[in-house]
Amino acid sequence: MSDVVRPYGDTTGDGMVQVSFTLPLPAGRRGEGAALQLAGKMGIDPAMVVHARPIGDGHTFFVVYGRVNHLVEPGKVVVAERDFPLLSAKDVNAAIRGRLRRKFVVVGACIGTDAHTVGIDAILNVKGIAGEKGLEYYREMRVVNLGAQVTVADLVAAATAEQADAVLVSQVVTQRDAHLHNTRAMSAAFREAFAPARRPLLVAGGPRFDERMAGELGVDRIFGRGTTPREVASYLAHTAGGAR
Ligand code: B12
């Protein structure tokens, strides 16, 4: 891998990027000028407005195409690596059976005011996503899906009543950092309600989470955009019986 790379637009290393944003300005020459000013301040030079469309009263959506001079250093990229093996459904079931000798109980929900259930349903429901079946398909798992807009108090109560091994929480709306506030509140409530050794595993997921923030948010693991049920099942099997 080379030490540095640049974005690719028309030719290798030409540094061309495309960005989109909305400005609270009416469409027109001044609006486009403002978009180019912003692009310049973002280090895009030269820049071109390739699309401008009025959206609502006094707002315009822009797409700007242009060159950045910044270099990308792949060797310095930090990501959350998967630190558990990716297993087949058969191996997940065998691992749980071998370690627990009972079903692994998963309680899932969308918390706060968030009503975006498609993501958590994709992970939990048998129909799954991306050609993989959801956790309900796994014989050694018992899944309780509480649905949308569940309060933290109700989630703690359900996890207690179901004797959950893992609590899976989805947060899709990120306005005013709602996903971060709600996840912190959830983890604090579980830490207060359970002694450390009895606390269920806490897993948060959603498209705009940074997977490296688990510690900061007080959860055991975060899964981001494009997660598949098999990854989650493999992680849960890996933790069954104590590994955190
Ligand atoms: C469908 C949708 C809706 C539907 C939701 C229906 C439902 N039952 O879920 C409806 C129409 C109800 C809706 C409403 C709203 N929505 Co909406 N919605 C979307 C949309 C188009 C798709 C979301 C989706 O289903 N993705 C598909 C799933 C499969 O992907 P996913 O959620 O990322 O999940 C995957 C991973 O993230 C991960 N994952 C997710 N959760 C979890 C949990 C765990 C434990 C794990 C392990 C993994 C995991 O695994 C999943 C599978 O890979 C998005 C835009 C977009 N294209 O993403 C906007 C979007 C999320 N909505 C948005 C908004 C603003 C709203 C509303 C506030 C609009 C309004 N003004 O009323 C309301 C809020 C309602 C509420 N109270 O929450 C914004 C959020 C912006 C932000 N910064 O937060 C978005 C991004 C649209 C936008 N660009 O503005 N919405």
Side-chain angles (χ1 to χ4, degrees):
M1 199 192 302
S2 55
D3 291 350
V4 294
V5 295
R6 289 173 195 271
Y8 178 106
D10 301 316
T11 54
T12 302
D14 62 9
M16 299 302 278
V17 299
Q18 182 170 298
V19 294
S20 62
F21 50 85
T22 300
L23 290 179
L25 293 171
R29 283 180 176 277
R30 288 192 77 77
E32 293 198 12
L36 290 176
Q37 185 193 85
L38 176 63
K41 289 181 178 178
M42 290 166 74
I44 305 175
D45 182 26
M48 257 182 299
V49 173
V50 292
H51 179 74
R53 172 179 285 232
I55 49 164
D57 211 13
H59 288 66
T60 310
F61 173 74
F62 295 98
V63 178
V64 171
Y65 184 62
R67 186 168 66 221
V68 289
N69 291 309
H70 311 296
L71 302 174
V72 177
E73 298 170 90
K76 293 189 181 168
V77 172
V78 180
V79 290
E81 299 283 0
R82 180 163 50 78
D83 51 3
F84 53 89
L86 201 53
L87 304 176
S88 66
K90 196 169 155 234
D91 290 342
V92 165
N93 286 326
I96 294 173
R97 210 170 30 246
R99 290 185 196 145
L100 289 189
R101 299 183 191 288
R102 61 168 173 79
K103 293 200 177 196
F104 186 98
V105 181
V106 175
V107 170
C110 264
I111 59 169
T113 58
D114 206 328
H116 293 87
T117 49
V118 179
I120 185 91
D121 286 347
I123 301 297
L124 298 181
N125 293 359
V126 70
K127 70 179 179 220
I129 191 169
E132 292 183 12
K133 296 223 176 0
L135 301 189
E136 284 177 351
Y137 170 76
Y138 292 74
R139 229 185 15 246
E140 298 298 331
M141 291 199 193
R142 184 165 70 81
V143 176
V144 182
N145 187 347
L146 300 175
Q149 300 190 327
V150 176
T151 64
V152 167
D154 286 351
L155 182 63
V156 171
T160 308
E162 301 289 350
Q163 299 190 310
D165 294 293
V167 171
L168 271 58
V169 156
S170 183
Q171 287 287 269
V172 174
V173 173
T174 59
Q175 287 160 334
R176 289 188 218 99
D177 284 343
H179 62 315
L180 306 181
H181 297 307
N182 289 340
T183 304
R184 281 197 191 97
M186 182 273 295
S187 80
F190 273 92
R191 283 164 200 282
E192 196 179 312
F194 289 89
R198 304 191 71 85
R199 172 177 68 77
L201 196 74
L202 302 177
V203 179
R208 295 200 186 177
F209 274 112
D210 178 342
E211 296 191 347
R212 296 167 302 173
M213 284 180 74
E216 200 179 312
L217 297 179
V219 296
D220 298 291
R221 188 90 192 183
I222 290 176
F223 287 92
R225 186 169 49 88
T227 301
T228 69
R230 186 177 163 210
E231 292 171 311
V232 181
S234 300
Y235 171 69
L236 297 179
H238 175 69
T239 60
R244 273 196 185 167

